[in-house]
Amino acid sequence: MRYESVLVSLSPTEVRDRIRKRVEGIQSSKADDGFEFRTNSGILVGSVSPATLPDGSDGSRLRYRTSILSATAAHAKRTGTALRDAVSSALVTD
């Protein structure tokens, strides 16, 4: 499976809350120092964890699924992209 990652200028909890509001069919659960996101069928489509942004401030790293291996995986990829889109206004670029 392939994942992309982006830096986000929100805390992991804020990322989780934004994704919950904007992405249907997603379940989140606590994982290590952040959260995992799964489809209702249990497929992992992303995760968020704390990160230090390039300017030294606190933020998050969102990893989201991008690979397609089957019809189910295609849905997971679309859902993973929806995770990223949910926080697009807070993405951090170098």
Side-chain angles (χ1 to χ4, degrees), residues 42-91:
I43 296 172
L44 180 67
V45 292
S47 63
V48 64
S49 59
T52 301
L53 304 180
D55 67 1
S57 63
D58 292 335
S60 300
R61 178 173 308 279
L62 175 67
R63 290 183 67 238
Y64 59 97
R65 190 168 177 171
T66 61
S67 66
I68 299 174
L69 302 174
S70 67
T72 302
H75 171 71
K77 180 201 179 281
R78 285 191 304 275
T79 305
T81 300
L83 300 182
R84 181 188 185 279
D85 293 346
V87 296
S88 63
S89 66
L91 294 180

Side-chain angles (χ1 to χ4, degrees), residues 18-27 38-40 45 75 79 82-83:
R18 190 174 290 196
I19 287 171
R20 281 181 173 172
K21 289 178 185 174
R22 297 182 184 189
V23 182
E24 292 184 30
I26 284 295
Q27 297 179 15
R38 296 181 181 273
T39 64
N40 287 332
V45 292
H75 171 71
T79 305
L83 300 182

Side-chain angles (χ1 to χ4, degrees), residues 8-26:
V8 183
S9 62
L10 302 170
S11 72
T13 301
E14 291 170 315
V15 169
R16 181 207 57 201
D17 293 346
R18 190 174 290 196
I19 287 171
R20 281 181 173 172
K21 289 178 185 174
R22 297 182 184 189
V23 182
E24 292 184 30
I26 284 295

